mmCIF file of all heavy atoms in Angstrom:
data_model
loop_
_atom_site.group_PDB
_atom_site.id
_atom_site.type_symbol
_atom_site.label_atom_id
_atom_site.label_comp_id
_atom_site.label_asym_id
_atom_site.label_seq_id
_atom_site.Cartn_x
_atom_site.Cartn_y
_atom_site.Cartn_z
ATOM 1 N N SER A 23 169.881 46.921 205.020
ATOM 2 C CA SER A 23 170.334 48.276 205.364
ATOM 3 C C SER A 23 169.989 49.256 204.255
ATOM 4 O O SER A 23 169.520 50.358 204.511
ATOM 5 C CB SER A 23 171.847 48.296 205.592
ATOM 6 O OG SER A 23 172.187 47.493 206.678
ATOM 7 N N ALA A 24 170.209 48.840 203.007
ATOM 8 C CA ALA A 24 169.887 49.702 201.871
ATOM 9 C C ALA A 24 168.383 49.940 201.787
ATOM 10 O O ALA A 24 167.928 51.053 201.499
ATOM 11 C CB ALA A 24 170.399 49.088 200.577
ATOM 12 N N LYS A 25 167.608 48.901 202.062
ATOM 13 C CA LYS A 25 166.151 49.017 202.030
ATOM 14 C C LYS A 25 165.663 49.990 203.112
ATOM 15 O O LYS A 25 164.802 50.829 202.859
ATOM 16 C CB LYS A 25 165.532 47.626 202.225
ATOM 17 C CG LYS A 25 164.078 47.536 201.878
ATOM 18 C CD LYS A 25 163.647 46.082 201.760
ATOM 19 C CE LYS A 25 162.971 45.643 203.011
ATOM 20 N NZ LYS A 25 162.400 44.304 202.936
ATOM 21 N N ARG A 26 166.244 49.876 204.311
ATOM 22 C CA ARG A 26 165.877 50.795 205.402
ATOM 23 C C ARG A 26 166.240 52.231 205.042
ATOM 24 O O ARG A 26 165.470 53.154 205.268
ATOM 25 C CB ARG A 26 166.558 50.378 206.696
ATOM 26 C CG ARG A 26 165.806 49.347 207.493
ATOM 27 C CD ARG A 26 166.365 49.200 208.899
ATOM 28 N NE ARG A 26 167.771 48.837 208.938
ATOM 29 C CZ ARG A 26 168.233 47.601 208.808
ATOM 30 N NH1 ARG A 26 167.407 46.600 208.630
ATOM 31 N NH2 ARG A 26 169.519 47.361 208.857
ATOM 32 N N ALA A 27 167.427 52.417 204.470
ATOM 33 C CA ALA A 27 167.869 53.764 204.099
ATOM 34 C C ALA A 27 166.971 54.348 203.017
ATOM 35 O O ALA A 27 166.611 55.535 203.076
ATOM 36 C CB ALA A 27 169.319 53.732 203.620
ATOM 37 N N ALA A 28 166.588 53.524 202.035
ATOM 38 C CA ALA A 28 165.687 54.004 200.975
ATOM 39 C C ALA A 28 164.325 54.370 201.543
ATOM 40 O O ALA A 28 163.739 55.381 201.168
ATOM 41 C CB ALA A 28 165.550 52.942 199.887
ATOM 42 N N LYS A 29 163.822 53.564 202.474
ATOM 43 C CA LYS A 29 162.526 53.860 203.090
ATOM 44 C C LYS A 29 162.590 55.151 203.902
ATOM 45 O O LYS A 29 161.680 55.971 203.846
ATOM 46 C CB LYS A 29 162.066 52.710 203.974
ATOM 47 C CG LYS A 29 160.697 52.988 204.586
ATOM 48 C CD LYS A 29 160.122 51.813 205.276
ATOM 49 C CE LYS A 29 158.801 52.041 205.938
ATOM 50 N NZ LYS A 29 158.126 53.279 205.803
ATOM 51 N N GLU A 30 163.672 55.349 204.639
ATOM 52 C CA GLU A 30 163.842 56.594 205.399
ATOM 53 C C GLU A 30 163.874 57.801 204.468
ATOM 54 O O GLU A 30 163.250 58.826 204.737
ATOM 55 C CB GLU A 30 165.125 56.548 206.235
ATOM 56 C CG GLU A 30 165.028 55.672 207.455
ATOM 57 C CD GLU A 30 166.349 55.582 208.201
ATOM 58 O OE1 GLU A 30 167.191 56.511 208.072
ATOM 59 O OE2 GLU A 30 166.549 54.582 208.909
ATOM 60 N N GLN A 31 164.604 57.684 203.357
ATOM 61 C CA GLN A 31 164.683 58.776 202.383
ATOM 62 C C GLN A 31 163.311 59.056 201.785
ATOM 63 O O GLN A 31 162.897 60.203 201.658
ATOM 64 C CB GLN A 31 165.696 58.435 201.282
ATOM 65 C CG GLN A 31 165.935 59.546 200.315
ATOM 66 C CD GLN A 31 166.608 60.748 200.955
ATOM 67 O OE1 GLN A 31 167.327 60.634 201.937
ATOM 68 N NE2 GLN A 31 166.376 61.913 200.408
ATOM 69 N N PHE A 32 162.578 58.009 201.419
ATOM 70 C CA PHE A 32 161.234 58.159 200.870
ATOM 71 C C PHE A 32 160.318 58.829 201.890
ATOM 72 O O PHE A 32 159.558 59.742 201.552
ATOM 73 C CB PHE A 32 160.674 56.796 200.462
ATOM 74 C CG PHE A 32 159.276 56.859 199.922
ATOM 75 C CD1 PHE A 32 159.053 57.262 198.617
ATOM 76 C CD2 PHE A 32 158.189 56.536 200.721
ATOM 77 C CE1 PHE A 32 157.763 57.341 198.107
ATOM 78 C CE2 PHE A 32 156.899 56.603 200.227
ATOM 79 C CZ PHE A 32 156.685 57.010 198.917
ATOM 80 N N ASP A 33 160.387 58.390 203.140
ATOM 81 C CA ASP A 33 159.560 58.986 204.191
ATOM 82 C C ASP A 33 159.895 60.460 204.396
ATOM 83 O O ASP A 33 159.009 61.282 204.622
ATOM 84 C CB ASP A 33 159.710 58.221 205.501
ATOM 85 C CG ASP A 33 159.061 56.842 205.445
ATOM 86 O OD1 ASP A 33 158.243 56.597 204.518
ATOM 87 O OD2 ASP A 33 159.384 56.005 206.312
ATOM 88 N N ASN A 34 161.183 60.811 204.306
ATOM 89 C CA ASN A 34 161.586 62.213 204.442
ATOM 90 C C ASN A 34 161.009 63.069 203.318
ATOM 91 O O ASN A 34 160.589 64.204 203.548
ATOM 92 C CB ASN A 34 163.110 62.346 204.454
ATOM 93 C CG ASN A 34 163.717 61.870 205.745
ATOM 94 O OD1 ASN A 34 163.048 61.765 206.772
ATOM 95 N ND2 ASN A 34 164.998 61.561 205.708
ATOM 96 N N ILE A 35 160.997 62.530 202.105
ATOM 97 C CA ILE A 35 160.487 63.281 200.957
ATOM 98 C C ILE A 35 158.975 63.433 201.026
ATOM 99 O O ILE A 35 158.429 64.493 200.740
ATOM 100 C CB ILE A 35 160.898 62.603 199.630
ATOM 101 C CG1 ILE A 35 162.403 62.735 199.424
ATOM 102 C CG2 ILE A 35 160.149 63.184 198.438
ATOM 103 C CD1 ILE A 35 162.947 61.906 198.278
ATOM 104 N N THR A 36 158.295 62.377 201.421
ATOM 105 C CA THR A 36 156.824 62.398 201.401
ATOM 106 C C THR A 36 156.199 62.908 202.693
ATOM 107 O O THR A 36 154.988 63.104 202.747
ATOM 108 C CB THR A 36 156.257 61.002 201.083
ATOM 109 O OG1 THR A 36 156.719 60.072 202.069
ATOM 110 C CG2 THR A 36 156.666 60.552 199.699
ATOM 111 N N ASP A 37 156.989 63.126 203.716
ATOM 112 C CA ASP A 37 156.459 63.650 204.975
ATOM 113 C C ASP A 37 156.395 65.174 204.874
ATOM 114 O O ASP A 37 157.315 65.877 205.272
ATOM 115 C CB ASP A 37 157.335 63.213 206.152
ATOM 116 C CG ASP A 37 156.757 63.657 207.482
ATOM 117 O OD1 ASP A 37 155.526 63.835 207.569
ATOM 118 O OD2 ASP A 37 157.539 63.829 208.435
ATOM 119 N N THR A 38 155.298 65.663 204.320
ATOM 120 C CA THR A 38 155.153 67.095 204.079
ATOM 121 C C THR A 38 154.169 67.710 205.061
ATOM 122 O O THR A 38 153.434 67.013 205.754
ATOM 123 C CB THR A 38 154.675 67.349 202.639
ATOM 124 O OG1 THR A 38 153.430 66.674 202.435
ATOM 125 C CG2 THR A 38 155.692 66.855 201.624
ATOM 126 N N GLU A 39 154.172 69.029 205.089
ATOM 127 C CA GLU A 39 153.311 69.784 206.001
ATOM 128 C C GLU A 39 151.837 69.541 205.683
ATOM 129 O O GLU A 39 151.434 69.554 204.530
ATOM 130 C CB GLU A 39 153.638 71.277 205.857
ATOM 131 C CG GLU A 39 153.270 72.110 207.038
ATOM 132 C CD GLU A 39 154.108 71.828 208.266
ATOM 133 O OE1 GLU A 39 155.321 71.584 208.134
ATOM 134 O OE2 GLU A 39 153.532 71.829 209.362
ATOM 135 N N ASP A 40 151.048 69.352 206.720
ATOM 136 C CA ASP A 40 149.618 69.096 206.570
ATOM 137 C C ASP A 40 148.835 70.277 207.160
ATOM 138 O O ASP A 40 148.956 70.578 208.344
ATOM 139 C CB ASP A 40 149.240 67.795 207.284
ATOM 140 C CG ASP A 40 147.831 67.327 206.972
ATOM 141 O OD1 ASP A 40 147.029 68.137 206.463
ATOM 142 O OD2 ASP A 40 147.536 66.155 207.244
ATOM 143 N N TYR A 41 148.055 70.948 206.317
ATOM 144 C CA TYR A 41 147.273 72.110 206.729
ATOM 145 C C TYR A 41 145.777 71.807 206.796
ATOM 146 O O TYR A 41 144.957 72.723 206.829
ATOM 147 C CB TYR A 41 147.508 73.272 205.752
ATOM 148 C CG TYR A 41 148.931 73.766 205.754
ATOM 149 C CD1 TYR A 41 149.840 73.333 204.805
ATOM 150 C CD2 TYR A 41 149.368 74.656 206.720
ATOM 151 C CE1 TYR A 41 151.150 73.769 204.805
ATOM 152 C CE2 TYR A 41 150.681 75.107 206.736
ATOM 153 C CZ TYR A 41 151.558 74.658 205.773
ATOM 154 O OH TYR A 41 152.854 75.098 205.786
ATOM 155 N N THR A 42 145.418 70.541 206.831
ATOM 156 C CA THR A 42 144.012 70.149 206.817
ATOM 157 C C THR A 42 143.240 70.776 207.982
ATOM 158 O O THR A 42 142.099 71.219 207.807
ATOM 159 C CB THR A 42 143.879 68.618 206.852
ATOM 160 O OG1 THR A 42 144.658 68.072 205.793
ATOM 161 C CG2 THR A 42 142.438 68.187 206.691
ATOM 162 N N ASN A 43 143.848 70.846 209.152
ATOM 163 C CA ASN A 43 143.159 71.385 210.323
ATOM 164 C C ASN A 43 142.881 72.880 210.219
ATOM 165 O O ASN A 43 142.070 73.416 210.982
ATOM 166 C CB ASN A 43 143.952 71.093 211.592
ATOM 167 C CG ASN A 43 143.952 69.625 211.932
ATOM 168 O OD1 ASN A 43 143.059 68.885 211.543
ATOM 169 N ND2 ASN A 43 144.971 69.177 212.647
ATOM 170 N N SER A 44 143.526 73.571 209.292
ATOM 171 C CA SER A 44 143.282 74.999 209.130
ATOM 172 C C SER A 44 142.042 75.279 208.274
ATOM 173 O O SER A 44 141.627 76.423 208.139
ATOM 174 C CB SER A 44 144.503 75.700 208.537
ATOM 175 O OG SER A 44 144.702 75.280 207.203
ATOM 176 N N CYS A 45 141.457 74.241 207.700
ATOM 177 C CA CYS A 45 140.250 74.373 206.876
ATOM 178 C C CYS A 45 139.070 73.770 207.638
ATOM 179 O O CYS A 45 139.217 72.768 208.330
ATOM 180 C CB CYS A 45 140.416 73.636 205.549
ATOM 181 S SG CYS A 45 141.838 74.172 204.574
ATOM 182 N N SER A 46 137.910 74.388 207.486
ATOM 183 C CA SER A 46 136.735 73.851 208.172
ATOM 184 C C SER A 46 136.260 72.573 207.481
ATOM 185 O O SER A 46 136.399 72.431 206.267
ATOM 186 C CB SER A 46 135.611 74.887 208.184
ATOM 187 O OG SER A 46 135.036 75.013 206.903
ATOM 188 N N PRO A 47 135.691 71.651 208.255
ATOM 189 C CA PRO A 47 135.184 70.409 207.651
ATOM 190 C C PRO A 47 134.134 70.671 206.565
ATOM 191 O O PRO A 47 134.077 69.954 205.571
ATOM 192 C CB PRO A 47 134.573 69.649 208.837
ATOM 193 C CG PRO A 47 135.276 70.186 210.037
ATOM 194 C CD PRO A 47 135.581 71.614 209.714
ATOM 195 N N GLU A 48 133.319 71.713 206.747
ATOM 196 C CA GLU A 48 132.310 72.044 205.739
ATOM 197 C C GLU A 48 132.968 72.513 204.443
ATOM 198 O O GLU A 48 132.544 72.147 203.348
ATOM 199 C CB GLU A 48 131.354 73.141 206.255
ATOM 200 C CG GLU A 48 130.552 72.746 207.475
ATOM 201 C CD GLU A 48 131.330 72.901 208.786
ATOM 202 O OE1 GLU A 48 132.314 73.701 208.846
ATOM 203 O OE2 GLU A 48 130.983 72.210 209.750
#
């Protein structure tokens, strides 16, 4: 349970906004 909670917390912190699609591949 503690491991799951720590993983959820880590995922919440590292799940950040991704703006890659707003930049052209070139």
Side-chain angles (χ1 to χ4, degrees):
S23 297
K25 195 166 99 174
R26 274 193 302 278
K29 182 171 178 5
E30 285 176 24
Q31 185 66 27
F32 178 79
D33 290 344
N34 287 341
I35 291 170
T36 59
D37 184 26
T38 58
E39 203 68 38
D40 190 344
Y41 296 97
T42 307
N43 291 336
S44 68
C45 303
S46 73
E48 298 82 23

